[in-house]
Amino acid sequence: MVSREYKRDSSLREKFQLLRSITNSNAESETSIIVDASKYIKKLKQKVEQINNETTSEKYFCDPTGHMVTVETLEKGFMIKVMSGKNEAGLLVCVLEAFEDLGLEVVEARVSCMDSFSLHAIGSSNNFNLPE
């Protein structure tokens, strides 16, 4: 019976040491190790939420002429969609000039200019900022 308790205690000590090392805890008592682990888990949850917010954030804009613009943050850039109910002469040039003014480098783009106007562009830039 003593050896069973010794094995259980030894196993528990090993698990606490593992938990302590994973969470970078300097605590000595088991209670403090658990508190540090709880704080560590909360920080990880916050980081995951922050990453999720960064990678899924979308902003919508509608200018006075009725063009709908969607900007979605991607892992390494942006997906920008511009849509308009009608195709206007020079609209594509105007949009591309706006990208250039914003410091956005277009990596890939798909455009449709038949009856309506639709542009889907993937861009990258370190200094691109979304308007508020």
Side-chain angles (χ1 to χ4, degrees), residues 2 7 10 19 26 36 52-53 55 64 66-67 79 90 105 111 115 119 131:
V2 172
K7 285 182 182 179
S10 176
L19 185 60
N26 293 321
D36 287 349
N52 286 339
N53 289 337
T55 58
H67 303 105
M79 165 69 89
E105 179 184 343
V111 180
D115 295 327
L119 174 117

Side-chain angles (χ1 to χ4, degrees), residues 14-48:
E14 287 176 17
K15 289 176 183 172
F16 273 107
Q17 288 296 24
L18 179 62
L19 185 60
R20 185 175 173 224
S21 67
I22 289 171
T23 61
N24 296 320
S25 173
N26 293 321
E28 295 295 325
S29 74
E30 293 173 355
T31 304
S32 296
I33 293 171
I34 292 172
V35 168
D36 287 349
S38 175
K39 290 177 184 176
Y40 181 79
I41 291 168
K42 285 179 185 178
K43 285 180 184 177
L44 288 177
K45 280 180 70 177
Q46 288 173 343
K47 284 182 182 180
V48 168

